[in-house]
Amino acid sequence: MFVVPLIERKRDGGALTPEEWSALIAAYTAGRIADYQMSALLMAVVLRGLERAELAALTDAMLASGQRLSFDGWATPRVDKHSTGGVGDKVSLVLAPLVASCGVAVPMMSGRGLGHTGGTLDKLEAIPGFRTALSLGEAKAQLLKLGCILIGQTPEIAPADKKLYALRDVTGTVEAIPLIAASIMSKKLAEGLSALVLDVKHGSGAFLPATAQGLELARTMIALGEDRGCPTAALLTAMDRPLGRACGNALETEEAILALRGEGPEDLMEVTYALGVEMLLAAGVESSAAKAKKRLEDALGSGLAAEKFEQVIEAQGGNPKAVEDPSVLPQAQAVEVFAARETGVVTRVEPRTIGRAVVSLGGGRTTVEDVVDPTVGFVITVKPGDKVLAGEPIASVFARDASGVKLGFEALERAITIGDRLTERPLPLISHRVTKDGVEDLTRPPHAPKSRAARRA
Ligand code: URA
């Protein structure tokens, strides 16, 4: 296939035809287009965008590059959640077993760390022995048996996205609404879902920081889902600070386990419950948000959700003892406490700085071949608005050695700023609910006028 004219057309602001997208993606998946040419095309898409028909064709081509799960005759509803990516976002590890323990099957297919954000697969693989690479057949059998799988893209599912995702991660081509939407939806639509719930992050640590971009991404993915017969809804959640306290693979897995045992940080639990409510409503197993929340709380409180996680870990070859005793997770060699330099109010905990530092410590990738170190990262116990005293411990660095600790301290110095008072209001933790019917601003009373961002959406 002669790709150069297509790259040039996109570079100059033109559109490719659906047939061209289809042929391009098929040829790239088959290894007939070089990574450097695909990188150039991706960069042109980042700069020029995609027309609606191009996005539909790209998504369909990525979906068609592999197989789709099908569950003909199985009455259990299947609902998944997908996050657009954040720092400290371990929601999937809590949410999947929690929702599955409420009678909804969760075929959760996740990704690896991308750019400065962490990935669910890297967190799961911190559990000794845990296998995220199941075949499609294994995945289906486990879903029918346990109602939950926590896996990576099988080689059969959207292989085009798998290649493109890895390429985008190392070529500065992640941050584009059409590429993110096509990537996420091509995988999700292959799962044979009854419905899908999206957690769209906004704020400085999100791939798309502006609220208006988050809303546009949500609407774009919802349209792709709904047009292909998968009811899709989204919540916009804050990523102007890390979610929860732990950032780094094993540390986040430990925090997720604590959350399943009823000891999760407040913000993590609020986002988890809100997404869980959406999933139970979309599955049709509860008729109101209040009932759905109660069902989730009961499943967590009774230990059913933690038990489901144990079953999933065991089924996927991991050590289920991790749920009872998270100290079986790999531990960092060097741990140091970081204290507040001055007395005052925490004005920012910058997630991008923290996410990049986790990568620099070895907890993420800078090239496709990198192997992640599960042990490294941070636990940050303060949030914007908290009052602190000089010398008070506010974070810990988990590193391989003293030079890692130094790097971690420098990142914390930059990420956590302290002043006399809050100068910028943190984003509401959950700000908007988006469905095919429109945008609900959750921060306003029901009949108040819409915000500007919601009006634009
Ligand atoms: N998550 C995905 O699956 N794909 C993206 O492009 C970004 C986040």
Side-chain angles (χ1 to χ4, degrees), residues 68-420:
R68 299 175 78 148
L69 279 166
S70 82
F71 297 94
D72 294 341
W74 194 36
T76 306
R78 298 163 306 280
V79 184
D80 193 7
K81 177 283 310 191
H82 193 84
S83 157
T84 55
V87 177
D89 181 4
K90 68 285 291 176
V91 168
S92 292
L93 277 70
V94 190
L95 186 64
L98 175 59
V99 169
S101 68
C102 295
V104 176
V106 184
M108 192 169 273
M109 201 176 300
S110 309
R112 300 200 172 275
L114 187 64
H116 65 282
T117 69
T120 299
L121 294 187
D122 296 326
K123 295 169 206 186
L124 288 166
E125 286 175 0
I127 301 171
F130 197 99
R131 251 184 355 116
T132 55
L134 302 194
S135 70
L136 206 57
E138 285 176 309
K140 191 167 169 178
Q142 182 178 319
L143 192 70
L144 291 168
K145 185 165 170 226
L146 292 181
C148 187
I149 46 174
L150 288 166
I151 59 168
Q153 253 167 292
T154 71
E156 301 96 331
I157 296 268
D161 175 63
K162 198 176 165 94
K163 276 188 88 175
L164 288 168
Y165 191 102
L167 191 62
R168 287 168 58 218
D169 190 20
V170 292
T171 54
T173 52
V174 171
E175 286 90 346
I177 288 176
L179 295 180
I180 298 175
S183 162
I184 292 175
M185 295 309 288
S186 63
K187 292 187 282 266
K188 297 291 129 180
L189 291 165
E191 290 175 1
L193 297 175
S194 321
L196 172 64
V197 174
L198 299 163
D199 179 3
V200 177
K201 303 289 185 195
H202 63 143
S204 56
F207 287 124
L208 302 170
T211 304
Q213 287 177 306
L215 288 171
E216 194 188 332
L217 177 60
R219 284 184 315 131
T220 306
M221 292 192 288
I222 288 167
L224 285 170
E226 297 275 348
D227 286 352
R228 285 155 188 77
C230 178
T232 305
L235 295 180
L236 240 72
T237 69
M239 190 35 68
D240 57 344
R241 66 263 184 195
L243 185 65
R245 301 186 195 112
C247 304
N249 296 307
L251 296 165
E252 291 191 47
T253 303
E254 176 170 355
E255 187 166 273
I257 289 169
L258 293 177
L260 281 165
R261 297 194 335 202
E263 299 158 42
E266 214 176 295
D267 58 346
L268 172 63
M269 296 320 296
E270 195 177 328
V271 172
T272 304
Y273 279 131
L275 292 163
V277 164
E278 293 295 331
M279 291 170 81
L280 297 197
L281 293 177
V285 299
E286 285 298 352
S287 55
S288 75
K291 284 186 192 162
K293 172 98 188 280
K294 170 89 176 57
R295 186 147 166 182
L296 293 163
E297 284 170 345
D298 288 349
L300 197 116
S302 65
L304 269 181
E307 204 178 300
K308 182 63 74 181
F309 194 38
E310 259 170 12
Q311 291 166 357
V312 172
I313 294 174
E314 187 154 30
Q316 294 186 219
N319 183 352
K321 281 212 181 70
V323 177
E324 200 186 299
D325 175 16
S327 72
V328 307
L329 297 172
Q331 307 289 322
Q333 294 294 311
V335 183
E336 292 266 349
V337 170
F338 177 84
R341 299 287 186 247
E342 57 196 301
T343 295
V345 172
V346 174
T347 51
R348 282 203 66 72
V349 181
E350 178 48 51
R352 221 170 249 261
T353 310
I354 296 297
R356 285 192 182 132
V358 172
V359 176
S360 304
L361 287 171
R365 295 175 189 78
T366 49
T367 70
V368 178
E369 294 82 23
D370 282 355
V371 175
V372 301
D373 181 341
T375 67
V376 299
F378 301 91
V379 171
I380 301 170
T381 50
V382 287
K383 297 279 178 197
D386 287 352
K387 290 192 177 120
V388 293
L389 294 172
E392 180 185 334
I394 56 172
S396 300
V397 177
F398 296 74
R400 289 177 180 148
D401 51 28
S403 71
V405 170
K406 183 167 174 287
L407 187 154
F409 270 39
E410 283 162 6
L412 289 170
E413 297 270 9
R414 276 179 280 122
I416 306 180
T417 52
I418 297 172
D420 299 337

